Amino acid sequence: QTVVTQEPSLTVSPGGTVTLTCASSTGAVTSGYYPNWFQQIPGHAPRSLIYTISNKHSWTPARFSGSLLGGKAALTLSGVLPEDEADYYCLLYSGGVWVFGGGTKLTVL
Amino acid sequence: QVQLQESGPGLVKPSETLSLTCTVSGGSINNYHWSWIRQPPGKGLEYIASMYYSGSTNYNPSLKSRVAISVDTSNNQFYLKLNSVTAADTAVYYCARWNNGGDYWGQGTLVTVSS
């Protein structure tokens, strides 16, 4: 089964910019992997931010953007706010099954 | 606004079957895929399975032999059954509307496997 790899942890200063990445053990991530990004505040359900690379929901703040970068899916936060401190999970469709990454713990400090 | 609510026993004995219901409100269960995802305490998310309202299914290979999911369009509900549970199945179980990824999620329900 595909292994999806994310940075375990990242730290960013308030107002800064940070990019989280999501890699597949099967090779370069493409649109056919339908990459998704979710935010999870501890104790709460995940919230979808981005679907199919870069599409946003009506509730997704403008400071969040998705892309493909160097063979990986990427989530960029620009103008980070303290409330962005959370766990972030990517999700890929690979080999006919959906697979979550291990998550990135983002600290805003 | 679509809302999902998981329900079911919070405690299941080892070797028994875990059964959960997800009730969908604010929208129809028709024309969408619906999924189950779980999260063991302190760990990451794990995709379990999804089902189109008309019956086609997709399973995590690592759980496929123990999982059954179904949909009841008349009641706007879908279901999860996981048999032969062990302590490793202790987790918060989420249901979600699956639109090439989960857009709407339930709040989750903790299921503990213990005698």
Side-chain angles (χ1 to χ4, degrees), chain B residues 25-66:
Chain B
S25 58
S28 174
I29 207 164
N30 293 329
N31 302 315
Y32 288 98
H33 290 84
W34 302 90
S35 291
W36 289 96
I37 303 99
R38 71 181 183 179
Q39 185 171 36
K43 296 188 178 180
L45 300 170
E46 180 181 30
Y47 169 81
I48 300 172
S50 63
M51 185 170 193
Y52 194 47
Y53 79 103
S54 60
S56 64
T57 55
N58 180 281
Y59 292 96
N60 182 334
S62 68
L63 296 170
K64 185 175 183 177
S65 63
R66 298 194 292 129

